Amino acid sequence: MTFTIAIDGPAAAGKGTLSRRIAEEYGFHHLDTGLTYRATAKALLDGGLPLDDEAVAEKVAREVELAGLDRSVLSAHAIGEAASKIAVMPAVRRALVEAQRAFSLREPGTVLDGRDIGTVVCPDAPVKLYVTASPEVRAKRRYDEIIGNGQPADLGAIFEDVKKRDERDMGRADSPLRPADDAHLLDTSEMSIEAAFQAAKSLIDAALIKKI
């Protein structure tokens, strides 16, 4: 028996931090599904393979190992750019969704975060959260994170990038970013990560009791 928590939302809304915290709290396995696309992109780049050949990208996607994806390595800008190119390929999405679904069955439970978990990957998850925040707040968070890592950043450029990313994620034909009909909305614009965690925890605890 397993228990799946599906967490969706736009970039820099806080869903990754929240997902890791929830997984730690309940002793569940965690998967940032965005990293699966980045891992595929990195394998293509490392192998000197084309980023515009769907058949090649699908083959690589099917070989990606979901355990131990290294966020620090995969967060490189060039990998993100490459990932955005392959993420629109239906065959790549199918391959990675299959792998993500298999991951979601791990016991005793799993937390998956991404853009289409509650709508496509795990539509039957007993708990679905849609974590969001205003584009201004998300851009500022991303800016603070980059500055905090000792790197230069331009808030205006980051804001434009966040808006562009939203348009791309919400406007794509295959698995667009949107809340599942039965997802609980968590707007973290003026909410601390602790408050968001407590709100999520009460929903999860209620669902777990129902499941027993």
Side-chain angles (χ1 to χ4, degrees):
M1 204 60 169
T2 188
F3 188 91
T4 303
I5 300 165
I7 304 183
D8 292 303
K15 68 181 183 297
T17 305
L18 182 63
S19 300
R20 290 189 293 276
R21 176 88 188 271
I22 290 169
E24 194 180 325
E25 171 75 14
Y26 293 95
F28 287 178
H29 303 279
H30 171 248
L31 179 64
D32 174 346
T33 59
L35 293 183
T36 65
Y37 291 92
R38 284 174 172 264
T40 303
K42 184 178 186 298
L44 287 165
L45 291 171
D46 288 352
L49 300 168
L51 295 172
D52 58 357
D53 187 322
E54 190 165 351
V56 170
E58 180 193 7
K59 183 176 184 299
V60 170
R62 291 194 180 279
E63 293 165 358
V64 165
E65 179 52 60
L66 299 196
L69 296 173
D70 191 332
R71 171 183 309 278
S72 59
V73 172
L74 296 174
S75 63
H77 183 71
I79 293 174
E81 288 295 303
S84 70
K85 289 174 184 168
I86 62 160
V88 298
M89 297 175 174
V92 171
R93 297 197 73 83
R94 277 195 302 273
L96 291 177
V97 164
E98 281 175 28
Q100 292 158 13
R101 280 186 184 142
F103 182 95
S104 75
L105 301 175
R106 294 185 182 186
E107 295 180 347
T110 52
V111 182
L112 283 79
D113 75 78
R115 301 284 192 281
D116 59 352
I117 311 304
T119 53
V120 174
V121 181
C122 301
D124 297 325
V127 176
K128 297 177 193 172
L129 304 174
Y130 188 84
V131 184
T132 189
S134 71
E136 291 82 3
V137 166
R138 291 186 284 123
K140 182 69 165 65
R141 284 178 186 163
R142 176 77 27 104
Y143 172 83
D144 290 342
E145 183 185 2
I146 296 168
I147 294 292
N149 288 332
Q151 296 180 337
D154 179 329
L155 182 56
I158 293 170
F159 177 66
E160 289 305 318
D161 189 52
V162 163
K163 287 202 300 181
K164 219 183 300 173
R165 181 95 177 262
D166 286 352
E167 285 166 16
R168 191 168 65 215
D169 288 341
M170 295 173 185
R172 68 178 177 230
D174 194 8
S175 309
L177 168 65
R178 64 175 179 81
D181 293 338
D182 54 349
H184 300 277
L185 183 68
L186 282 180
D187 189 328
T188 66
S189 298
E190 296 179 20
M191 187 188 275
S192 68
I193 188 64
E194 183 57 33
F197 170 71
Q198 291 301 334
K201 188 175 185 302
S202 64
L203 293 166
I204 296 162
D205 287 347
L208 280 166
I209 288 166
K210 215 182 283 184
K211 184 117 174 157
I212 292 169

